[in-house]
Amino acid sequence: MSASTDRPIETGTPGPANPPPAPRRRIWPRVLAIVAAIVVIGLLAAAGGAWWLLATPGGAQFLAGKVRGLLGPGARIERVEGRIGGLMRIGEIEIDQPDLYVRVEDVVLDTAPAPALHGTLEVRRLSARSVEVRTASSAAAAKAPVIFKPPFPVRLQDGRVATLRIGAITPQEKAAQDPAAKRAAREAARAKDLVLHDIVLQGAGDARRWTVTQAAVTSEYGTAHAKGTIGNAKPYALDLQGDAAGSFEEHAYRIAARLGGTLERLEANAEGTVAGTRATARATVEPFAKQPVKSVALDASGVDLAHVKAGLPATRLDVHAALVPEGDDFAGPVRIANAAPGRWDRGALPVTEATTRVSADPSGRVQLSDLRLALAGGGTASGSASAASDGMKADLTLAAVDLSALHSKLQATKLTGSVSVSGDRAAQRFALALEDPRFAVRGNGSLAASRLAIETATVKTGAGAVTAKGTLALDGAKPFRVEGRAEHFDPSALVKTAAGDLNFDFTASGAMGKGGVAGEARVAFAPSRYAGLPLTGHANLAGDARRISAADVHLALGEARIDARGSFG
């Protein structure tokens, strides 16, 4: 009997119960390749952009537009040519804002391309034909500037500015709305500008400091040179030295100076010659403090005022001053010694020494206290004086003043008394009251609009006196007029002459121009005595130093007679 079975029919080789997972694909190499490609493309794009900025005119113009936007309203950059990484020219840069005006013309910039390749930005040439800077005054306190620190070393081989003009924005220019009116106001203010020429600068900068290897500038007063270093991080260490030579108001000068310390506290030392006088000066300055000048010391020797200005007396002065802040003022002692005193009529200064304490406040008022003048002949003048924008005042007390030591034609005296002067720029008044054992002088007057007016002047000698008044113009033809009267006047009390007892009326008028005194004078004597002899008569004269154009003289002195009429010369 056959048997049947339910087994399944086996076909082929049996498979495993759990099949293995499919093999992984290699994804990260592809991702890295894509990232690398993006980086390379980015670098190429950046390099291309940098090349476009540095090496093409379009890049230079694009960057100029960005800079113009950063400068704000009123900024203009015109005629940009060339490339940044090479030779570039800019026709004009202008910034016109309410408190700042800058105009730069014909800029040339020549730099070495790709400074990152050699680590230093090489500026072969940076020049401008003209630079004009104008600023508006501000009551705000000055602040220390932030000195630019370069991102990589910079070297300037040749920097030049042909003309630099520095001026102020006037209220008229600031208020002008029409561009033409603003330009007209700016042009009118240029007469007061500081103008510098032929500016030269060479140097370098890095993360620590800026180094000036050569700097030079020329102005109407001469030429100056400088070199040194300036730190570009606070407190901005400073070490500069320089020299200057030229002339100021026709006086030659040569000065060497050194600046040290920091930008916030400068230590300055200078020495040199001015108008033939050797001087040294030292100062400590904090430019951005409420009281910038912290100390000033000045020493000069052999100062000759006749060399400073024609017509001044010859001197040999030694000057010493040391001034420091005192509260809001600036004060200190000043001493002047004259090694060559002499009489006025001999072209000298009859002062042997002057000492005072000087005090100046922020408003510009200068006060001289403890003022003392030691005069030739042993006399003194002491007191105080002050000067400010609203006026001046001086009060002096004289003691034992010998007039013969001041002028050779005056008698020896021992004058005591007072002299006072007060007023402003428009007009001044003066008064004096002086006494000697033989005479007394009193008078007062004024000076205004270049006109000297003697309101009253009285000279008393014993029982006699002379009274007078008059005027004198101090400009033009210098016309004058004086009139007065003498009663029992003895001239020998004042000048070296014979004794007298004179009684007369007098008038004189004319001009004191460049050709000398010209005019007329009239003297009419009442009975008088001179040198012990009776004197009567009159004298009327007209003319100048070269010619007597009219004379009418009739004088009797004792037995002598003088009669003259007509002209002479």
Side-chain angles (χ1 to χ4, degrees):
M1 169 173 190
S2 64
S4 63
T5 178
D6 295 330
R7 292 178 185 176
I9 298 175
E10 296 180 359
T11 60
T13 303
N18 296 315
R24 294 182 179 181
R25 296 180 179 179
R26 296 183 177 181
I27 298 176
W28 286 111
R30 294 184 180 181
V31 172
L32 293 176
I34 293 171
V35 171
I38 292 174
V39 171
V40 170
I41 292 171
L43 291 174
L44 289 175
W51 177 86
W52 180 75
L53 278 175
L54 295 173
T56 68
Q61 293 172 3
F62 172 80
L63 189 59
K66 290 296 184 182
V67 172
R68 182 173 57 245
L70 292 174
L71 293 176
R76 186 167 58 87
I77 301 177
E78 302 290 345
R79 303 190 304 281
V80 180
E81 301 174 357
R83 55 195 178 91
I84 298 174
L87 181 63
M88 184 173 67
R89 299 179 185 273
I90 303 175
E92 183 179 355
I93 302 172
E94 185 179 51
I95 303 173
D96 191 354
Q97 297 174 353
D99 294 327
L100 175 66
Y101 178 81
V102 178
R103 180 187 176 92
V104 186
E105 295 182 307
D106 296 340
V107 178
V108 176
L109 175 63
D110 186 8
T111 60
L117 296 179
H118 48 78
T120 300
L121 174 60
E122 291 283 349
V123 181
R124 302 189 188 102
R125 179 185 177 192
L126 175 59
S127 66
R129 181 173 62 84
S130 67
V131 177
E132 180 177 359
V133 180
R134 316 189 76 81
T135 57
S137 60
S138 172
K143 297 181 179 180
V146 177
I147 296 181
F148 171 69
K149 180 185 295 186
F152 40 77
V154 178
R155 183 181 296 113
L156 175 61
Q157 297 180 10
D158 184 14
R160 295 178 184 272
V161 175
T163 303
L164 171 61
R165 180 181 291 272
I166 302 174
I169 296 176
T170 62
Q172 293 81 1
E173 179 182 347
K174 195 170 182 179
Q177 299 296 324
D178 179 65
K182 180 177 288 190
R183 286 193 298 271
R186 186 179 301 144
E187 189 65 33
R190 284 196 171 110
K192 298 181 180 180
D193 290 353
L194 172 64
V195 181
L196 306 176
H197 302 283
D198 302 327
I199 299 172
V200 176
L201 179 63
Q202 297 176 4
D206 55 27
R208 297 176 57 193
R209 66 175 66 88
W210 289 95
T211 300
V212 178
T213 56
Q214 179 185 1
V217 61
T218 301
S219 73
E220 61 179 309
Y221 305 112
T223 301
H225 303 86
K227 62 181 180 180
T229 61
I230 304 175
N232 54 25
K234 284 189 175 182
Y236 305 124
L238 190 73
D239 185 7
L240 293 175
Q241 55 184 316
D243 59 80
S247 64
F248 180 75
E249 294 185 352
E250 301 182 353
H251 300 303
Y253 71 87
R254 182 176 295 276
I255 298 173
R258 189 178 191 102
L259 290 177
T262 69
L263 192 60
E264 296 181 349
R265 184 178 176 85
L266 300 174
E267 301 289 341
N269 291 272
E271 62 177 336
T273 58
V274 180
T277 298
R278 185 163 188 83
T280 62
R282 301 173 302 281
T284 301
V285 182
E286 295 182 3
F288 312 105
K290 181 180 178 181
Q291 174 63 275
V293 181
K294 297 303 179 183
S295 67
V296 173
L298 173 67
D299 289 282
S301 59
V303 180
D304 188 350
L305 296 180
H307 287 172
V308 175
K309 186 175 182 180
L312 292 179
T315 60
R316 196 160 73 245
L317 305 178
D318 291 338
V319 181
H320 173 74
L323 309 178
V324 296
E326 289 189 358
D328 292 335
D329 295 351
F330 199 63
V334 175
R335 178 181 179 273
I336 302 173
N338 184 14
R343 295 181 174 92
W344 283 112
D345 58 321
R346 303 289 174 83
L349 180 69
V351 177
T352 60
E353 185 183 58
T355 59
T356 188
R357 180 175 178 78
V358 176
S359 176
D361 64 24
S363 69
R365 178 179 294 275
V366 178
Q367 177 76 35
L368 304 181
S369 58
D370 300 328
L371 175 61
R372 184 180 185 277
L373 304 177
L375 305 177
T380 62
S382 58
S384 63
S386 63
S389 59
D390 59 349
M392 55 83 64
K393 182 177 177 60
D395 293 293
L396 296 177
T397 299
L398 275 60
V401 174
D402 184 359
L403 292 181
S404 67
L406 309 186
H407 198 288
S408 60
K409 292 185 178 181
L410 298 179
Q411 288 280 27
T413 62
K414 289 188 176 181
L415 278 179
T416 61
S418 63
V419 177
S420 63
V421 181
S422 62
D424 53 26
R425 292 183 179 180
Q428 301 86 43
R429 292 194 58 79
F430 60 88
L432 58 87
L434 304 175
E435 292 186 359
D436 179 80
R438 293 171 297 169
F439 66 90
V441 179
R442 279 179 168 74
N444 59 73
S446 63
L447 176 62
S450 297
R451 181 175 179 270
L452 176 65
I454 306 297
E455 298 168 2
T456 63
T458 302
V459 180
K460 291 185 177 181
T461 59
V466 175
T467 60
K469 62 180 181 179
T471 60
L472 169 64
L474 301 180
D475 55 10
K478 298 183 179 179
F480 68 89
R481 178 175 177 79
V482 61
E483 60 183 70
R485 179 179 180 82
E487 294 180 341
H488 304 292
F489 176 65
D490 182 5
S492 67
L494 296 175
V495 298
K496 295 176 180 179
T497 186
D501 182 359
L502 304 181
N503 301 279
F504 57 89
D505 296 319
F506 64 93
T507 62
S509 61
M512 301 175 64
K514 294 182 178 180
V517 179
E520 61 179 12
R522 298 175 180 272
V523 180
F525 286 95
S528 304
R529 296 188 68 83
Y530 179 73
L533 300 174
L535 172 64
T536 59
H538 66 267
N540 302 329
L541 300 172
D544 56 30
R546 295 171 297 177
R547 180 174 183 270
I548 297 176
S549 58
D552 178 12
V553 180
H554 177 72
L555 293 174
L557 177 61
E559 298 296 327
R561 299 287 188 271
I562 301 176
D563 289 289
R565 288 179 179 272
S567 60
F568 180 79

